[in-house]
Amino acid sequence: MNRLHVELPGLSLKNPIMPASGCFGFGKEYAQFYDLNKLGAIMIKATTVEPRFGNPTPRVAETSSGMLNAIGLQNPGLQKVMTEELPWLDQYDVPIIANVAGSQIEDYVEVAREISKAPNVHAIELNISCPNVKTGGIAFGTVPEIAAELTKLVKQASSVPVYVKLSPNVTNIVEMAKAIERAGADGLTMINTLIGMRIDLKTGNPILSNKTGGLSGPAIKPIAIRMIYEVSQAVSIPVIGMGGVQSAEDVLEFFYAGASAVAVGTANFIDPFVCQTIIEELPRILDKHGFDHISECQGRSWKNYATTTYRGS
Amino acid sequence: MNRLHVELPGLSLKNPIMPASGCFGFGKEYAQFYDLNKLGAIMIKATTVEPRFGNPTPRVAETSSGMLNAIGLQNPGLQKVMTEELPWLDQYDVPIIANVAGSQIEDYVEVAREISKAPNVHAIELNISCPNVKTGGIAFGTVPEIAAELTKLVKQASSVPVYVKLSPNVTNIVEMAKAIERAGADGLTMINTLIGMRIDLKTGNPILSNKTGGLSGPAIKPIAIRMIYEVSQAVSIPVIGMGGVQSAEDVLEFFYAGASAVAVGTANFIDPFVCQTIIEELPRILDKHGFDHISECQGRSWKNYATTTYRGS
Amino acid sequence: MIKKEMMRIVSQEGIADDIFEITLEGSLVKEMHQPGQFVHLKITEGPEAFLRRPISIAKINKEMNQFTMIYRKDGLGTRLLSEKIVDQKVDVLGPLGNGFPVEEAQSGETALLVGGGIGVPPLYELSKRLVKKGVHVIHVLGFQTNSAVFYEEKFRELGSTYVATVDGSRGSKGFVTDVIKTEGLVFDTLYACGPTPMLKALEENYRGYNAYLSLEERMGCGIGACFACVCHVQNDSLGHAYKKVCSDGPVFKVGEVVL
Amino acid sequence: MIKKEMMRIVSQEGIADDIFEITLEGSLVKEMHQPGQFVHLKITEGPEAFLRRPISIAKINKEMNQFTMIYRKDGLGTRLLSEKIVDQKVDVLGPLGNGFPVEEAQSGETALLVGGGIGVPPLYELSKRLVKKGVHVIHVLGFQTNSAVFYEEKFRELGSTYVATVDGSRGSKGFVTDVIKTEGLVFDTLYACGPTPMLKALEENYRGYNAYLSLEERMGCGIGACFACVCHVQNDSLGHAYKKVCSDGPVFKVGEVVL
Ligand SMILES: Cc1cc2nc3c(=O)[nH]c(=O)nc-3n(C[C@H](O)[C@H](O)[C@H](O)COP(=O)(O)OP(=O)(O)OC[C@H]3O[C@@H](n4cnc5c(N)ncnc54)[C@H](O)[C@@H]3O)c2cc1C
Ligand SMILES: Cc1cc2nc3c(=O)[nH]c(=O)nc-3n(C[C@H](O)[C@H](O)[C@H](O)COP(=O)(O)OP(=O)(O)OC[C@H]3O[C@@H](n4cnc5c(N)ncnc54)[C@H](O)[C@@H]3O)c2cc1C
Ligand SMILES: Cc1cc2nc3c(=O)[nH]c(=O)nc-3n(C[C@H](O)[C@H](O)[C@H](O)COP(=O)(O)O)c2cc1C
Ligand SMILES: Cc1cc2nc3c(=O)[nH]c(=O)nc-3n(C[C@H](O)[C@H](O)[C@H](O)COP(=O)(O)O)c2cc1C
Ligand code: FES
Ligand code: FES
């Protein structure tokens, strides 16, 4: 028995650990550090129809236990991702989750349709929650009806399961999640970054040239845990959790909250080996807490173990 | 010239530093450490009509660069605050900002009417954003129309200016702020805590007995700065800023973002002297950055100094 | 008076499995009067281990301006504390709370001191004070297992000492309450500190007695300002009476508060 | 190859106002080949100074497995670094990026090395390599003021060295570009590292030359994965071509990227 094996729509994962979109490029850089085959999956950088340069620099700033980024969806564009990045990744036996972004519905639909044809793309992650672009992005992520409509159309266009990435910058995340589930999403990924700002005391101006940026890292972990806890109880599609994960213990906490797999973002910048380390440590953590299989941990914080004997997601 | 003096509706502040509500009780405990006369103002613990015990313990949990609390508005009730706490505080020459909470509109109105009669209460802080109570609290803080209605009625009942405390757990904080301004609020205080959760890895259950709690501390500072930056440009009433302030440098950053005064919450627990220390350090920080008066810093991140010569809030 | 001081580490030593004894030096010791009080520690200067940690005072040495704590390396903060070395400093806020009332035991009387796990440390200073006063002390100390036992000899120097371990690997097998029963221990005053189930069992058995229990609760401020650590008062019909563990306690008379 | 290693501090010393020289030891040094490369430092183990800090390699000592950095104590991370002491460890990721091309200068030719402030350090290892190769080196080093000057003597040992300070308190008053002009310095190859305005001025003056500029940008990953540190490419009609300072740079040929 592989104690870490997890089955999710479209994704047969040898373990539930994957780098989060935007924090791992298209894998090449991290392949210098360890064998990418060890990963459960890879969430690649957001892809748009056209190549994008993104926002002017500075694009990152440090905060207490976190960072702000305003990359602005820089990416080489659909065509280059299809002809260069994905084929390069195909040397690895790792399912790719393609993060899809755009400015208008048609863009999302087009990228989803094309990118889902790539043989190693096993799922789409619909990025309706990027706080760093003027149009599209977060607008789709804050109004349930618009999110649902987009989900439906992308779902029709995609030949692989569609996960929708939720923004934490909303009053009612459960309402968003439910609308997206009803629209046919196969799963949810959450959370994207919270909108934040830092001001340079020397200049008096925001540090980021985009002024605001997305807050990630351990600082946001309690918010992620809370939202996953609420959403995973309200929907019946699986949740891939993320937000501040740094260790195998954090992964356990996300599972307890209700996640069925976990993505690691910012922590890769601090320690390029972090995903590998977490994967290696997970069995020890399962032993320590008396679990045979990682799936037993899923939703433990809200499942009533007295009456149900739940195994696996 | 007092370089730190700030004038706000109802509040003539010898300096812009005040402990945040719920993080300073009713002052007695901190009076053991320094002379409360040094403070610009004191925001006292939320007061409700009836005494409240609040939530079961545990009520606090630690997070990376922050903490969660689910006190649940425990307080001795309006009568005792009027007859014991406020008279005790009256020995100090410090304006009191009374944090007013409730479960329904009538409660808020009653507390505001009565507490605003206390001679040392110079302003009301309408707490429509407490995430830790089942009814009232946050519900009022997430729907602009309801917040506006409540503001209007409290404003009518109160004999002192009314500041409304905004919740960061909303999609659109500017919309909330504007609705509240239109309803007649004299000022805004922001931000209250973000809803978060931590799970105990040993038990698998949320650490807080209330399950979720409010996230405060440096972890949320970039979110506070962003929201104050947006709101202070959209309204013409002053903003008292808070969220993770620990130092005089942080105070400067809040002023740059658009705050006209700053409250210090969680940091009091780490260092009971923190408010005094910040007040003592502020002149040095003003010198370092070349300001004569603290008000010159207000809104500096978005004001165009080339065309306006702004002095004071 | 409560003070805040950067205190110097004079010694730090592992004395049992994951149990450390640390001694700090500074003028704050002058303020320490009661056994059973605690201090609130900020272990790193930065955001790591963000909140203070409450740890009991186990031994006070006024002449040397030193005091000793015994703590279990458990989570983040206590791990970081255990990595500190002699001459480094720790930010101490204290002394806090109301400790054990030494005045409740008279010379010639017998006091029973019951401790469980990391509830044992504050009993040491208490016992020394009682012995000094001429009180006859009996100690009943409960631990998980043999490797977790500490200070047995030190307590034995002060009075008769019974040790119980959950797995029976040292002393008698079982709980402190079993020991009291099987040994038929009698006393005038009872002082206890340990996990809540232990305190509950003692409350059950000794409700009418002159007994004092030291409670544990997660804390924010540690000084009574934040309402994090409250407990209900027994026989409170309205349900909103409360005591703060940090400033009204941590020691309460049996029957005073709801455990 | 890029490695990650906990490296031991061999020495740490203040060498000018807020300027520190630190030497680290470890096998990662074996991977260091090019002057102008940098390392990415995680200064504390915990969340404090959360991100890594990019600092240039100033001196490589392969025999001793040691390398030296020179940094300015500025914000949180560099302050914490300056408080570290000998034998403590620092988490180093590196070597990173593409440094100065030593092969672009031939024996007998003249290379002009221009540095501003904390852009000076990487020029030191570069200069040593060039000298070893038989290249004639000229250094022009710019600082704010006298008390900020460092390594002047060390550079002088390698070749003629001109110092300029903004306030004229040491060397000539003004900027490095003024020195080059007034001294009429001529060269075959130019290497420069310093603040962007300095690099822009050099680009202006020496666009057609064999010149190499080292850029600075705020970084996330430091290895090319996060797109934090990109810059535009010159003469890019579509506007979305880019180079990453961390992995394509930090050294670029003049005219290659938009400063
Ligand atoms: C009045 C009092 C006296 C105490 N005296 C001692 C003592 O002498 N020796 C000793 O080993 N322990 C003592 N404790 C328990 C000690 O405070 C906790 O073991 C410690 O705070 C755990 O911190 P951590 O960094 O190991 O755990 P973490 O999990 O990193 O702590 C996270 C947060 O939870 C709090 N927390 C976690 N467990 C507890 C707990 N059991 N009680 C209170 N807060 C907790 C921490 O203070 C911190 O705020 C005492 C507790 C109280 C309330
Ligand atoms: C390739 C490269 C080489 C460098 N070499 C040196 C060197 O040899 N000596 C030296 O003193 N400095 C060097 N710097 C600049 C150095 O990285 C910053 O001074 C340092 O990161 C500031 O960190 P801090 O903790 O003092 O400031 P903080 O304000 O605490 O830093 C907060 C965040 O902003 C980033 N940051 C702040 N200022 C800068 C800056 N000027 N450049 C890049 N990131 C910044 C930090 O890395 C960190 O992520 C180099 C920068 C780069 C890009
Ligand atoms: C530099 C950076 C770039 C990111 N780019 C993307 C992106 O392209 N698409 C996306 O959906 N999320 C993006 N994210 C968000 C992360 O995937 C993740 O949701 C978030 O950072 C929270 O996880 P973390 O705290 O582990 O980083 C980015 C985050 C960072 C820090
Ligand atoms: C323990 C605790 C209790 C609080 N109680 C209240 C309260 O009664 N009323 C209120 O409006 N805000 C309350 N707050 C929120 C603070 O006033 C403040 O808005 C928030 O903590 C952010 O500031 P900080 O990061 O400086 O703590 C409380 C916060 C904490 C940590
Ligand atoms: S810990 Fe704050 S009141 Fe007790
Ligand atoms: S710092 Fe991440 S790409 Fe350069």
Side-chain angles (χ1 to χ4, degrees), chain C residues 237-249:
Chain C
S237 54
L238 296 171
H240 50 69
Y242 63 87
K243 292 283 172 183
K244 293 170 186 161
V245 171
C246 69
S247 53
D248 298 318

Side-chain angles (χ1 to χ4, degrees), chain C residues 144-216:
Chain C
Q144 281 298 318
T145 184
N146 183 33
S147 63
V149 177
F150 58 88
Y151 264 44
E152 183 179 347
E153 277 317 306
K154 297 211 180 210
F155 276 102
R156 219 175 276 292
E157 287 165 18
L158 296 168
S160 52
T161 301
Y162 302 85
V163 166
T165 52
V166 177
D167 63 1
S169 55
R170 172 99 143 253
S172 54
K173 184 178 157 84
F175 299 105
V176 289
T177 39
D178 304 331
V179 174
I180 303 174
K181 206 171 286 169
T182 51
E183 300 287 338
L185 302 178
V186 290
F187 56 86
D188 301 291
T189 313
L190 172 72
Y191 300 100
C193 183
T196 307
M198 180 193 106
L199 299 181
K200 279 193 175 153
L202 291 171
E203 181 184 54
E204 195 106 315
N205 297 346
Y206 306 105
R207 191 175 287 276
Y209 288 63
N210 195 27
Y212 299 87
L213 312 177
S214 183
L215 272 60
E216 223 181 64

Side-chain angles (χ1 to χ4, degrees), chain B residues 19-24 43-47 59-60 67-74 99-101 125-132 165-166 189-194 214-221 242-246 263-269, chain C residues 50 220 225-228:
Chain B
S21 178
C23 302
F24 208 73
M43 292 167 142
I44 57 173
K45 177 84 192 138
T47 301
R59 293 178 171 188
V60 294
M67 69 176 281
L68 295 169
N69 89 81
I71 308 297
L73 296 183
Q74 175 158 26
N99 190 272
V100 168
E125 182 182 38
L126 197 57
N127 181 359
I128 57 170
S129 49
C130 179
N132 299 323
K165 185 157 184 178
L166 301 187
T189 68
M190 61 193 289
I191 59 176
N192 210 318
T193 54
L194 283 123
L215 180 64
S216 62
I220 69 168
K221 200 185 83 175
M242 66 195 79
V245 174
Q246 286 189 305
V264 182
T266 306
N268 291 290
F269 307 157
Chain C
F50 181 69
C226 77
F227 291 86

Side-chain angles (χ1 to χ4, degrees), chain B residues 29 53 57 59 62 270, chain C residues 50-53 217 223 227:
Chain B
E29 293 78 15
F53 184 82
T57 55
R59 293 178 171 188
E62 183 175 87
I270 316 301
Chain C
F50 181 69
L51 294 174
R52 289 180 177 269
R53 293 340 194 224
E217 192 49 80
I223 60 169
F227 291 86

